[in-house]
Structure formats: structure tokens, C-alpha cells
């Protein structure tokens, strides 16, 4: 199935494995919250056990260094795409309100980004992530 939109997550390459997983989880949650139409139907197995719904389209995960991550953010904003962001300072907080405060305290050009995620038309996402490789 071909989707009109794409979900892309860009994560800084130099993070520890637990940090990458944490960042990807939080960022995709942001996409799901902003675009509830991307959530599929709930799951169930042959035994009648019910499971939660998932995002119903593929999520492409790219790796980047700090400058490439900032470039992707700039490209997204220049195309009127509002991304979810995760900064390194957020690893030091313990709750959502504190996360928002550490982001709010820093100018955009000075954010120490570790990840961004966005959903937009396929061609727009392709331009935003142009030059990036899939995360390995």
C-alpha cells in the first residue's frame, strides 16, 4: 500500500542504545498525538485477546550527526512542517512539564537536538531528509 504521507524520525547517531529507543518512542508519540488519523484499528488475536492500535503506516528512521539533524529541522520548518523535537537536556528531566521548560529555555538555533520526527506529504519528507541514511 502506498501512503500519501510519510513519517520520518531522525536520531543523532552518537547516542547510547537506550537513548535512541527512548527518543524514538517519545517522538513517534508526538506524531501520533498530532495526527490521530495515522492510528490504525485495534488488534486482536484468534483467542479473543485485545491489543492496542498502532500507527498504521511505516515509520522511516534516519541517523544523523548534530549539524545534519539541525539542517533537517530547518528544512522542516521552512516547509511549514511542525516536527516533534527531543533535546539532550530532556534526558535530565523526569516529567513532561520539565521537558517543555528545558526546550523553551533555549533559542532554536542553540537547541542540542538528539531527534526530530514529522509527518507530511511524501515528497516534502523526501526533501527534508535528503542526504540522510537510514539509521543502523
Amino acid at each position: 500500500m502506498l501512503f500519501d504521507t510519510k513519517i520520518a524520525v531522525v536520531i543523532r547517531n552518537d547516542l547510547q542504545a537506550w537513548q535512541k529507543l527512548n527518543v524514538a518512542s517519545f517522538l513517534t508519540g508526538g506524531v501520533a498525538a498530532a495526527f490521530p488519523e495515522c492510528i490504525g484499528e485495534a488488534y486482536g488475536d484468534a483467542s479473543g485477546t485485545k491489543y492496542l492500535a498502532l500507527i498504521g503506516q511505516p515509520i522511516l528512521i534516519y541517523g544523523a550527526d548534530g549539524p545534519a539533524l539541525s539542517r533537517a529541522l530547518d528544512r522542516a520548518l521552512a516547509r511549514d512542517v511542525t516536527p516533534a523535537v527531543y533535546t539532550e537536556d530532556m534526558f535530565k528531566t523526569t516529567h513532561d512539564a520539565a521537558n517543555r521548560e528545558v526546550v523553551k529555555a533555549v533559542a532554536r538555533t542553540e537547541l542540542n537536538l538528539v531527534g526530530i520526527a514529522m509527518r507530511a506529504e511524501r515528497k516534502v519528507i523526501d526533501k527534508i531528509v535528503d542526504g540522510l541514511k537510514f539509521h543502523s
Side-chain angles (χ1 to χ4, degrees):
M1 169 183 256
L2 186 63
F3 294 92
D4 294 335
T5 59
K6 234 182 215 186
I7 298 172
V9 177
V10 184
I11 298 177
R12 208 171 69 196
N13 291 325
D14 64 345
L15 300 177
Q16 295 178 41
W18 74 266
Q19 291 173 313
K20 291 177 185 180
L21 295 169
N22 186 271
V23 170
S25 298
F26 275 103
L27 292 174
T28 55
V31 170
F35 300 97
E37 66 274 16
C38 76
I39 304 298
E41 298 293 322
Y43 286 73
D45 63 26
S47 301
T49 306
K50 305 233 183 273
Y51 303 100
L52 297 175
L54 304 175
I55 292 177
Q57 70 181 95
I59 300 170
L60 305 172
I61 301 181
Y62 298 87
D65 60 13
L69 192 52
S70 294
R71 186 173 51 253
L73 174 63
D74 291 342
R75 289 176 177 175
L77 295 172
R79 289 168 175 79
D80 294 322
V81 174
T82 303
V85 298
Y86 202 103
T87 68
E88 193 164 314
D89 291 335
M90 293 167 70
F91 289 127
K92 300 172 191 161
T93 65
T94 58
H95 57 88
D96 189 47
N99 285 344
R100 284 193 300 280
E101 287 301 316
V102 297
V103 173
K104 188 176 184 177
V106 180
R108 179 171 53 90
T109 57
E110 301 301 316
L111 290 173
N112 190 0
L113 293 170
V114 296
I116 63 172
M118 64 223 113
R119 180 178 184 255
E121 292 179 16
R122 296 175 62 79
K123 290 181 180 182
V124 173
I125 293 292
D126 289 344
K127 289 179 182 178
I128 293 169
V129 299
D130 185 49
L132 298 179
K133 305 277 189 228
F134 288 123
H135 203 293
S136 56

